[in-house]
């Protein structure tokens, strides 16, 4: 019996039919989009939706006659979508990080492209950002949130099909987004490049996610909602608001991929960075803090240092972040007072951010020997440290005069990666290494040594990357504003570009190490899943042992 | 009382969601809402024209190719930027920009005022292979733009969508969008004079990519690059005035 | 006149947000430090370390 059989076998025949209807409707919508837009590139996306939904419909159709599930499903947790989510997250990690290494290499060696638009830096860069943020990060968040909400509520997910719809629908969105960039379909809104039809689809998926999460919480067998769920809930709710407001747009026609945002000029700038910064806050911070507040205590086998502090920092983060976006627009045509407000709140943000980082590290106080011995726990410890560092750096860079130097330079890129590699990716790997053996009922990961290898590759890659970008960014910023004694600009723009090349090479190398680490992690997880469970093996050994005479 | 309130809120997950929305929405509302009255206070630019269909198509290519990932279009109010790139950018200059393309990273230089700085020929040579013109450059080659014919059948639709959002395109402009796109890149054709009539005599009509007989994506992108910073001259008129001029009567 | 409207919106934004912040912060602190909440928080802290990997049966607080 293969995996698909087992997963579909968990559904009742009524549920299989309902899922088939959902696939059918989605496939029809794809076909309609393709037909209406047959003269536009959007036709390819109509075809993609048709194939995606049709493919899953086919899987269901061929297995519609499987026997009904036996026993009460309510007595166990629903882990199949979580397993699929982890697998997808790791696949996206390798894809997204590979694209990252490629675009980084293109900056050092610009001829590393094919003839044709699809492989130029401008089109590949969003495949990297979307691949890692939404593909890797998003799948990791969906998977871990499904796990955490069930365990902390002691209740099974409130739905059999909806978790699959959320997970697979979300991945369809990611596919539409990434393939769109290669085809030249983009809104150009940073971290929200996908066009209107993909955005509409994501709204449907996200509302389902929200309802599923809320219904599962409502089923809980614990009086109190554990704080990790607060963070996941804030992630789901606020990302929905951000996504809808930022992506309000008018398509050229129903059969045209292109749309025009309803926000013009300066309003669009504010809306985009209100979105952009809060995508960092609620996608890349809140959700991953949810992971931290569950998997770190569980792995360390110690309760969180201060529960109250986690509540205070939760509301601090939820409240403050929304004000901070305008620090992306210092010295621009945005009104001065909005810039000042953004700067002030960015500095204040340091308080709840460090409260979270400190809370995590103090949880480990007294268990440092375990951090030394267990690379998984060390992943999470390092994540908390990088979280502390990058939030400090973020508040610092938001101060107007500092921003005058850092903005538009590689320093920003370095800062983002200190957070994305050091915080987001490390906490995810730490959580996955905790989660994979538990989910697949293995005693431990296949190889502790490979977790160790992954850890050091990640740390080395992150440090090389971040130091290269700090150097290049500060050099760049200083060169742009250096004057000669006669009061003329000392360097041309090209002078500053030439100075960047060594750092661009170093950065690509740092990224490559990080990518190799992720591949090692994939292998280790794959082997863990493949390994025969301890209990099964012992059971298989028993008859042989019993057959040995004279014992 | 607050204790009871919170307990109740937290008991029901929906109440909790409402609390999250209450906490998270303030910042955005406070910072974004006043921007909708901002056009009452920003500089006026009565001379500002809209993008021609060819320039708009070029702008969409700029978007499609992700040029904004390496080039900003926002000169900040800093001495070195003004000396390097020209007068700092004003809010009014991007009033027709959907989306805005201010950018966040300068791997290459700012382009807010690149229009007119270089010849059409320079832009074409540079886009075909940047290293022919700037040996140190790490910009990708965009030679394929010169091979791709520009799609014009949907240009009216683009203008109509912009008009619906409040950009002052006239019905006549919408009707003639494809013809004007062709005319702007074919100076000797019968379609050329209409461009100036509709978009103003200052509009540049030129065989941007050097070939007047065929309308390519290269034509559109170069037309767009050449108009950057030149839709209005508001930025050159006494822009350093204080926010509120002192009243001499007081 | 129109200019005043913008000023008014800005003034409202600048002041109202601050009061909201303080009020909100006060509520959160009261909630976090309210004595009778301590037991619930302590329970929540420990409960995630329970290794029993099965959904619960009853809803103890109802």
């Amino acid at each position: 019996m293969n995996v698909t059989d087992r997963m579909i076998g968990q559904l009742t025949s009524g549920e299989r039919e309902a899922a088939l209807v959902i696939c059918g409707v989605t496939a029809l919508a794809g076909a309609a989009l393709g037909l209406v837009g047959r003269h536009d590139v959007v036709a390819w996306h109509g075809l993609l939706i048709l194939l995606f939904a049709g493919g899953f419909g086919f899987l269901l159709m061929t297995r519609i006659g499987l026997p009904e599930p036996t026993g009460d499903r309510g007595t166990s947790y629903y882990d199949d979508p979580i397993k699929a989510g982890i697998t997808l997250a790791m696949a996206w990690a390798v894809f997204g990080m590979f694209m990252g290494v490629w675009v980084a290499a293109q900056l050092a060696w610009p001829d590393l492209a094919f003839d044709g638009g699809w492989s130029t830096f401008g089109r590949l860069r969003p495949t990297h950002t979307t691949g890692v943020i939404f593909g890797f990060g998003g799948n990791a968040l969906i998977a871990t949130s499904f796990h955490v909400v069930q365990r902390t509520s002691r209740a099974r997910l409130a739905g059999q099909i909806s978790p699959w719809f959320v997970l697979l629908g979300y991945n369809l969105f990611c596919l539409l987004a990434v393939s769109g960039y290669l085809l030249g379909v983009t809104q150009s809104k940073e971290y929200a490049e996908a066009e209107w039809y993909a955005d509409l689809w994501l709204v449907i998926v996200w509302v389902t996610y929200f309802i599923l999460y809320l219904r599962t919480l409502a089923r809980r067998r614990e009086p109190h909602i554990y704080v990790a769920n607060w963070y996941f809930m804030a992630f789901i709710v606020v990302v929905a608001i951000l996504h809808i407001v930022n992506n309000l747009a008018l398509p050229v026609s129903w059969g045209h991929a292109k749309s025009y945002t309803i926000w013009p000029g300066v309003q669009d700038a504010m809306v985009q960075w209100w979105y952009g910064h809060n995508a960092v806050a609620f996608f890349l911070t809140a959700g991953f803090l949810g992971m931290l507040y569950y998997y770190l205590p569980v792995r360390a086998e110690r309760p969180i240092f201060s529960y109250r502090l986690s509540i205070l920092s939760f509301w601090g983060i939820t409240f403050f972040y929304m004000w901070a976006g305008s620090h992306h627009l210092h010295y621009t045509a945005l009104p001065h007072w909005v810039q000042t407000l953004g700067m002030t709140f960015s500095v204040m943000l340091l308080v709840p951010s460090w409260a979270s980082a400190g809370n995590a590290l103090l949880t480990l106080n007294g268990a440092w020997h375990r951090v030394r011995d267990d690379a998984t726990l060390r992943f999470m410890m390092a994540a908390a440290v990088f979280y502390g560092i990058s939030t400090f750096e973020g508040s610092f860079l938001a101060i107007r005069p500092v921003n005058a130097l850092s903005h538009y330079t590689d320093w920003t890129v370095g800062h983002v990666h200190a957070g994305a590699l050091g915080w987001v990716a490390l906490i995810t790997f730490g959580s996955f290494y905790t989660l994979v053996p538990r989910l697949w009922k293995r005693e431990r990961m296949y190889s502790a040594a490979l977790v160790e290898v992954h850890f050091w590759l990640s740390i080395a890659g992150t440090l090389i990357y971040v130091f290269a970008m700090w150097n290049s960014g500060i050099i760049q910023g200083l060169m742009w504003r250096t004057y000669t004694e006669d009061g003329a600009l000392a360097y041309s723009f090209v002078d500053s570009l030439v100075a960047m090349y060594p750092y661009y090479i170093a950065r690509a190398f740092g990224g490559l190490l990080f990518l190799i680490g992720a591949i090692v992690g994939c292998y280790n997880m794959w082997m863990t899943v493949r390994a025969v469970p301890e209990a099964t093996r012992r059971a298989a050994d028993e008859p042989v042992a019993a057959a040995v005479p004279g014992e | 009382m607050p204790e009871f309130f919170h307990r109740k809120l937290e008991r029901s997950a929906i109440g909790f969601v409402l609390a999250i929305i209450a906490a998270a929405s303030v910042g955005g509302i406070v910072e974004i809402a006043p921007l909708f009255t901002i056009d009452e206070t920003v500089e006026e630019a009565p001379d500002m024209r809209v993008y021609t269909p060819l320039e708009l198509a070029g702008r969409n290519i700029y978007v499609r190719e992700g040029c904004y990932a390496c080039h900003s279009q926002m000169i900040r109010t800093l001495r070195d930027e003004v000396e390097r790139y020209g007068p700092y950018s004003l809010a009014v200059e991007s009033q027709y920009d959907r989306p805005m393309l201010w950018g966040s990273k300068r791997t290459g230089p700012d382009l807010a005022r690149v229009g007119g700085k270089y010849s059409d020929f320079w832009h074409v040579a540079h886009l075909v292979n940047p290293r022919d013109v700037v040996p140190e450059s790490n910009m990708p080659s965009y030679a394929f733009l010169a091979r791709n014919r520009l799609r014009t059948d949907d240009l009216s639709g683009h203008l109509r969508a912009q008009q619906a959002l409040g950009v002052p395109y006239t019905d006549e402009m919408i009707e003639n969008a494809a013809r004007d796109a062709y005319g702007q890149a074919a100076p000797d054709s019968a379609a050329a004079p209409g461009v100036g009539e509709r978009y103003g005599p200052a509009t540049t009509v030129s065989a941007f990519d050097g070939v007047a007989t065929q309308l390519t994506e290269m034509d559109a992108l170069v037309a767009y690059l050449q108009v950057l910073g030149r839709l209005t001259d508001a930025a050159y008129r006494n822009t350093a005035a204080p926010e509120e001029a002192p009243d001499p009567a007081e | 006149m129109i200019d005043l409207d913008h000023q008014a919106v800005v003034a409202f934004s600048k002041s109202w947000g601050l009061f909201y912040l303080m009020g909100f912060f006060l509520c959160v602190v009261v909630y976090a430090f309210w004595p009778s909440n301590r037991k619930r928080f302590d329970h929540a802290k420990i409960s995630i370390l329970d290794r029993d990997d099965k959904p619960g049966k009853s809803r103890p607080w109802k």
Side-chain angles (χ1 to χ4, degrees), chain A residues 151 154 218 221-222 304 308, chain C residues 32 43 45 53 56 58-59:
Chain A
R151 266 57 180 193
R154 292 188 204 282
R221 306 287 191 258
E222 287 282 331
I304 192 79
R308 280 177 183 152
Chain C
H43 173 74
K45 247 168 107 161
D53 205 31
S58 61
R59 319 185 86 184

Side-chain angles (χ1 to χ4, degrees), chain A residues 139-337:
Chain A
N139 276 303
L141 286 169
I142 292 175
T144 53
S145 70
F146 283 173
H147 181 252
V148 170
V149 73
Q150 293 188 87
R151 266 57 180 193
T152 56
S153 305
R154 292 188 204 282
R156 189 179 164 95
L157 280 177
Q160 288 293 321
I161 319 173
S162 54
W164 285 112
F165 178 75
V166 170
L167 183 73
L168 300 173
Y170 180 77
N171 279 277
L172 175 60
F173 166 79
C174 293
L175 278 178
L176 287 171
V178 165
S179 62
Y181 312 148
L182 297 174
L183 290 166
V185 176
T186 170
Q187 294 193 95
S188 87
K189 295 194 157 200
E190 282 194 74
Y191 318 114
E193 290 92 344
E195 268 293 356
W196 60 275
Y197 47 93
D199 290 336
L200 277 177
W201 172 249
L202 185 62
V203 171
I204 300 172
V205 169
W206 214 256
V207 168
T208 315
Y209 188 17
F210 172 69
I211 294 170
L212 170 65
Y213 209 87
L214 211 58
R215 288 187 58 219
T216 309
L217 283 179
R219 281 185 175 191
R220 72 186 186 278
R221 306 287 191 258
E222 287 282 331
H224 177 80
I225 303 177
Y226 183 69
V227 73
N229 291 305
W230 300 23
Y231 284 94
F232 282 122
M233 203 71 233
F235 148 67
I236 298 170
V237 172
V238 181
V239 166
I241 299 173
L242 295 169
H243 174 75
I244 292 171
V245 173
N246 186 44
N247 287 306
L248 289 172
L250 183 68
V252 169
S253 75
W254 292 114
H256 208 294
K258 176 80 187 167
S259 68
Y260 290 102
T261 176
I262 70 159
W263 314 108
V266 66
Q267 280 108 315
D268 186 39
M270 186 60 228
V271 170
Q272 274 198 43
W273 286 111
W274 167 78
Y275 167 87
H277 195 74
N278 289 304
V280 174
F282 289 91
F283 208 99
L284 296 177
T285 303
F288 291 90
L289 280 171
M291 276 188 208
L292 179 85
Y293 279 118
Y294 182 78
Y295 293 105
L296 180 89
V298 160
R299 184 74 186 187
E301 294 173 328
R302 300 166 67 84
I304 192 79
F305 167 71
S306 165
Y307 197 81
R308 280 177 183 152
L309 193 58
S310 72
I311 293 172
L312 291 175
S313 48
F314 171 79
W315 289 110
I317 284 173
T318 308
F319 195 95
F320 288 166
Y321 251 113
M322 284 301 214
W323 301 69
S326 54
H327 70 225
H328 288 260
L329 300 165
H330 281 327
Y331 300 99
T332 68
L334 188 77
H336 198 261
W337 68 269

Side-chain angles (χ1 to χ4, degrees), chain C residues 8-58:
Chain C
V9 176
V10 170
F12 182 71
S13 279
K14 287 178 183 174
S15 55
W16 183 69
L18 189 69
F19 293 125
Y20 193 94
L21 165 70
M22 293 191 293
F24 203 92
F25 183 70
L26 197 73
C27 289
V28 171
V29 170
V30 167
Y31 171 67
F33 287 92
W34 200 266
S36 65
N37 278 346
R38 170 186 275 270
K39 221 177 80 191
R40 287 141 44 75
F41 293 160
D42 286 345
H43 173 74
K45 247 168 107 161
I46 309 293
S47 67
I48 61 160
L49 301 177
D50 187 354
R51 294 208 65 159
D52 175 29
D53 205 31
K54 284 257 181 318
K57 287 217 160 54
S58 61

Side-chain angles (χ1 to χ4, degrees), chain A residues 18-36 42-61 165 168-169 172 176 201 204:
Chain A
L20 198 57
V21 170
I22 294 172
C23 288
V25 171
T26 313
L28 278 179
L33 183 69
L35 274 178
V36 177
V42 79
W44 292 106
H45 274 165
L47 185 67
L48 177 65
I49 297 169
L50 177 66
L51 290 176
F52 188 93
F56 283 105
F58 180 75
L59 278 183
L60 280 164
M61 208 124 65
F165 178 75
L168 300 173
L172 175 60
L176 287 171
W201 172 249
I204 300 172

